[in-house]
């Protein structure tokens, strides 16, 4: 699952632009992910310029890195 | 009062340069326009290096000194091995103050008759019989729905408007530049020079910029390609390292982050009742990452088509398609050439970049230009030379 470090986010929307299933919502000062729709592709984790997002499923992240 | 009005000719989602330009031109053409911006302030935060060319700005407005923090006429490139090459830009550029610029663009739209509302966040479209007929959202905590003949997605890199309508605007990982910028003071810079640092160690698949805003203040930022961001080192770490090396005593006034979609413009920019403009349509120049002027240009072209379509036959996909065609005719071909150039240069290794810097350093200063630079850069891939020649000489 994608975890959000909420107090770090700058609400820039970079992650929204790349999400293949359009399940991230960024407002003026709030960010939400619809976890039921998320396909855990981790692309949002890679693009975030300030490491707000992380993949909590360690098996998933290690296989993605491989 | 917008709250009492149920229906508009156009509703524009997003109050950046693209949205405000569309709103102004459509209102000047006699349409009723509502522009909705989610943030409390137009133009803030400034997620932008704020560089534009004089020629680009003049397509739309006489440059107003209030908008201009610095006038640029030289360019400096720093190669991975720290070779420095300088040359004349052969044209004028500016570093804007976008807080003032974006405000003024919105004021022009308002003066032309558009209604502008901030703190209005759109979270869905009203779609009937496969046609977009309005938007849904929240204004200061209150839900609302508004109808329009044309909804315009000017909602930036984070655009969802097109996707709600079924258009594919997703940016590929390799086509997203992940950016971070600090506006700093307490440093010494040449106020008339763009500085670019090119290296995988500073900004892999992108570049690092120092854009002056006076003698002691600058926007210092970088963007790295998503392709390299995948390796696990995030953009902010690159900038922290650079600042510690080059400007350790700078005072940081602002830090912003943001994505720059260096993608091909979306294939389909319109459908029944919907148009996409600016970053939402992926109009940014893929080589420079400059999106202010292309966004304004797409806003202008879209508004001209919108006015025509509403006076003649209605906002069907067919009647809105002239905008798509006009974009491809005026900006689109060059955009595709720039995209092809970007596809090659974003993979350059530090050795390639050192070789290019040496190549341009060997040219006498009065022979150096962006055309010369890109010609040397493209020499490894001769098929690119035609693209380079065309985009820099306007053939
Ligand atoms: C770090 C960085 C540096 C850059 N440097 C330069 C540069 O030097 N020169 C240059 O030309 N370009 C630069 N760019 C690109 C430039 O900033 C953009 O291309 C330009 O702002 C695009 O204009 P726009 O109007 O399309 O979108 P934006 O300016 O992004 O405006 C979109 C607006 O839509 C609003 N919005 C989004 N979603 C909603 C919603 N659901 N409801 C209501 N409102 C919404 C947003 O709040 C925003 O105000 C840079 C970008 C970044 C990230
Ligand atoms: S990319 Fe990072 S900073 Fe930007 S909105 Fe997404 S999580 Fe927040
Ligand atoms: S992991 Fe993939 S699908 Fe899930 S939110 Fe991130 S980008 Fe979207």
């Amino acid at each position: 699952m994608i975890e959000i470090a909420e107090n770090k986010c700058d609400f820039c929307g970079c992650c929204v632009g790349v999400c293949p299933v359009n399940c991230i919502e960024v407002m003026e000062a709030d960010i939400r992910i619809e976890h039921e729709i998320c396909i855990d592709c981790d692309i949002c984790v890679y693009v975030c310029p300030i490491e707000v997002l992380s993949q909590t499923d360690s098996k998933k992240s290690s296989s993605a890195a491989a | 009062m917008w709250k009492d009005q149920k229906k508009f000719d156009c509703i524009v989602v997003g109050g950046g340069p693209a949205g405000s330009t569309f709103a102004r031109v459509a209102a000047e053409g006699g349409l009723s326009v509502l522009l909705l911006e989610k943030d409390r302030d137009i133009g803030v935060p400034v997620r932008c290096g704020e560089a534009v060319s004089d020629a680009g700005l003049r397509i739309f407005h006489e440059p107003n000194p209030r908008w201009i923090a610095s006038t640029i006429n030289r360019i400096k490139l720093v190669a991975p091995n720290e070779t420095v090459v300088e040359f004349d830009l052969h044209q004028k550029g500016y570093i804007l103050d976008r807080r003032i610029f974006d405000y003024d663009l919105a004021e022009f739209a308002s003066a032309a008759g558009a209604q502008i509302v901030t703190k209005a966040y759109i979270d869905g479209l009203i779609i009937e019989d496969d046609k977009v007929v309005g938007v849904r959202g929240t204004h200061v905590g209150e839900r609302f729905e508004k109808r329009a003949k044309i909804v315009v997605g000017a909602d930036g890199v984070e655009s969802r408007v097109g996707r709600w309508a079924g258009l594919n605007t997703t940016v590929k990982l390799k086509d997203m530049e992940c950016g971070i910028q600090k506006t700093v003071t307490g440093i010494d810079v040449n106020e008339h020079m763009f500085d670019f640092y090119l290296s995988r160690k500073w900004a892999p698949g992108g570049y690092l910029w120092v854009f002056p805003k006076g003698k002691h203040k600058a926007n210092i930022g970088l963007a790295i390609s998503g392709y390299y961001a995948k390796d696990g080192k995030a953009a902010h770490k690159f900038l922290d390292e650079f600042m510690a090396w080059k400007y350790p005593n700078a005072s940081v006034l602002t830090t912003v982050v943001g994505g720059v979609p260096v993608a091909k413009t979306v294939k389909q920019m319109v459908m029944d009742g919907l148009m996409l403009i600016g970053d939402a349509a992926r109009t940014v120049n893929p080589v420079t990452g400059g999106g202010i002027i292309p966004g304004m240009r797409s806003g202008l072209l879209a508004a001209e088509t919108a006015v025509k379509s509403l006076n003649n036959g209605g906002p069907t996909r067919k009647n809105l398609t002239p905008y798509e065609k006009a974009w491809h005719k005026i900006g689109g071909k060059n955009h595709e050439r720039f995209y092809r150039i970007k596809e090659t240069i974003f993979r350059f290794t530090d050795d390639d970049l050192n070789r290019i810097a040496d190549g341009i350093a060997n040219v006498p200063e009065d022979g150096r230009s962006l055309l010369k630079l890109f010609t040397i850069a493209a020499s490894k891939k001769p098929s690119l030379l035609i693209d380079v020649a065309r985009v820099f000489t306007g053939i």
Side-chain angles (χ1 to χ4, degrees):
Chain A
M1 199 177 81
I2 300 296
E3 194 171 65
I4 307 169
E6 297 214 17
N7 52 358
K8 270 193 181 180
C9 180
D10 196 42
F11 315 108
C12 72
C14 185
C15 53
V16 180
V18 292
C19 175
V21 294
N22 196 14
C23 74
I24 312 177
E25 183 175 24
V26 170
M27 284 149 276
E28 183 175 23
D30 201 1
I31 172 168
R32 288 181 205 151
I33 292 180
E34 285 178 77
H35 294 289
E36 321 73 65
I37 300 177
C38 171
I39 54 168
D40 283 308
C41 68
D42 290 359
I43 290 179
C44 55
V45 177
Y46 304 140
V47 297
C48 178
I50 47 176
E51 297 179 273
V52 172
L53 305 172
S54 53
Q55 174 58 261
T56 55
D57 182 343
S58 58
K59 255 198 297 184
K60 168 79 189 44
S61 1
S62 56
S63 68
Chain B
M1 172 66 180
W2 73 281
K3 281 216 164 146
D4 305 324
Q5 192 173 334
K6 287 210 169 64
K7 188 152 187 192
F8 296 81
D9 289 328
C10 303
I11 290 180
V12 182
V13 182
S20 288
T21 301
F22 180 98
R24 172 179 61 83
V25 179
E28 284 168 354
L31 305 186
S32 63
V33 182
L34 176 66
L35 184 153
L36 302 168
E37 165 57 49
K38 73 173 164 49
D39 292 347
R40 68 170 74 83
D41 230 339
I42 294 283
V44 183
V46 179
R47 304 187 188 282
C48 186
E50 306 180 283
V52 290
S53 69
D54 172 70
L57 190 54
R58 275 179 198 281
I59 301 171
F60 307 93
H61 302 285
E62 179 69 23
N64 183 331
R66 279 168 21 92
W67 303 334
I68 294 164
S70 276
T71 301
I72 308 295
N73 49 36
R74 279 180 81 74
I75 177 167
K76 177 165 115 184
L77 303 174
V78 185
N81 60 11
E82 293 172 37
T83 299
V84 175
V85 194
E86 276 186 31
F87 54 94
D88 200 278
L89 205 52
H90 301 299
Q91 56 164 317
K92 214 164 30 164
Y94 301 116
I95 306 303
L96 296 174
D97 187 335
R98 274 193 65 182
R99 278 168 205 258
I100 300 173
F101 180 69
D102 284 27
Y103 246 69
D104 278 5
L105 295 186
E107 277 193 54
F108 295 158
S110 169
Q115 297 187 61
I116 294 173
V117 180
T118 49
K119 281 196 138 328
Y121 173 66
I122 298 307
D123 57 17
L125 297 177
I126 310 173
I127 299 176
E128 288 170 0
D129 301 328
D130 294 329
K131 293 186 184 69
V132 178
V133 295
V135 299
R136 293 195 175 88
T138 306
H139 177 245
V140 203
E142 242 177 68
R143 298 292 302 165
F144 70 89
E145 282 190 15
K146 292 286 166 197
R147 290 184 164 248
K149 293 175 186 157
I150 302 176
V151 172
V152 180
D155 47 340
V157 65
E158 71 265 47
S159 179
R160 303 177 82 204
V161 167
R163 301 172 84 181
W164 289 324
L167 298 181
N168 180 8
T169 63
T170 311
V171 178
K172 290 184 194 134
L173 180 62
K174 76 174 171 64
D175 289 341
M176 183 62 88
E177 289 283 325
C178 316
I180 178 162
Q181 175 179 277
K182 292 178 190 290
T183 302
V184 306
T185 189
I187 59 171
D188 292 323
V189 284
N190 179 336
E191 65 177 318
H192 301 298
M193 186 131 76
F194 285 139
D195 291 5
F196 292 98
Y197 289 77
L198 305 166
S199 166
R200 290 223 179 142
K201 71 181 173 207
W202 291 315
Y207 61 82
L208 183 149
W209 63 88
V210 179
F211 290 168
K213 298 186 91 173
K215 287 191 173 74
H216 302 292
K217 190 172 155 192
N219 289 335
I220 304 183
L222 59 82
I224 67 175
S225 166
Y227 179 84
Y228 295 101
K230 201 167 181 254
D231 297 341
K233 184 167 166 185
H236 73 110
K237 291 200 171 126
F238 288 94
L239 189 57
D240 286 347
E241 284 172 13
F242 178 81
M243 293 303 292
W245 169 61
K246 193 77 188 171
Y247 299 109
N249 299 318
S251 294
V252 177
L253 303 177
T254 318
T255 304
V256 287
V257 306
V260 190
V262 290
K264 281 191 197 168
T265 303
V266 294
K267 267 212 187 82
Q268 192 180 335
M269 302 169 95
V270 300
M271 56 186 281
D272 287 345
L274 182 90
M275 306 179 98
L276 296 180
I277 62 174
D279 276 18
R282 317 309 181 201
T283 55
V284 173
N285 177 317
V287 169
T288 63
I292 300 170
I293 300 301
M296 291 173 72
R297 179 164 242 160
S298 70
L300 170 76
L301 296 172
E304 287 171 351
T305 300
V307 171
K308 278 193 202 133
S309 80
L310 294 189
N311 290 327
N312 191 0
T316 57
R317 177 173 177 192
K318 183 162 171 275
N319 287 342
L320 297 178
T321 299
Y323 155 55
E324 225 172 69
K325 293 215 170 104
W327 167 259
H328 284 290
K329 192 161 166 224
I330 294 177
K333 279 213 184 84
N334 267 352
H335 181 97
E336 279 168 27
R337 291 181 186 121
F338 274 120
Y339 185 81
R340 287 196 291 267
I341 296 170
K342 173 229 128 179
E343 281 295 272
T344 296
I345 62 180
F346 98 104
R347 285 170 201 266
F348 279 165
T349 63
D350 279 1
D351 284 346
D352 293 330
L353 293 165
N354 286 330
R355 177 183 57 78
I356 294 160
D358 286 345
I360 190 89
N362 287 333
V363 175
E365 208 200 298
D366 58 1
R368 293 178 199 159
S369 65
L370 285 177
L371 169 63
K372 189 83 206 163
L373 173 75
F374 277 91
T375 307
I376 295 169
S379 60
K380 230 179 156 184
K381 198 172 176 212
S383 61
L384 263 193
L385 286 168
I386 300 165
D387 286 330
V388 167
R390 292 217 162 120
V391 292
F392 287 104
T393 55
I395 314 167

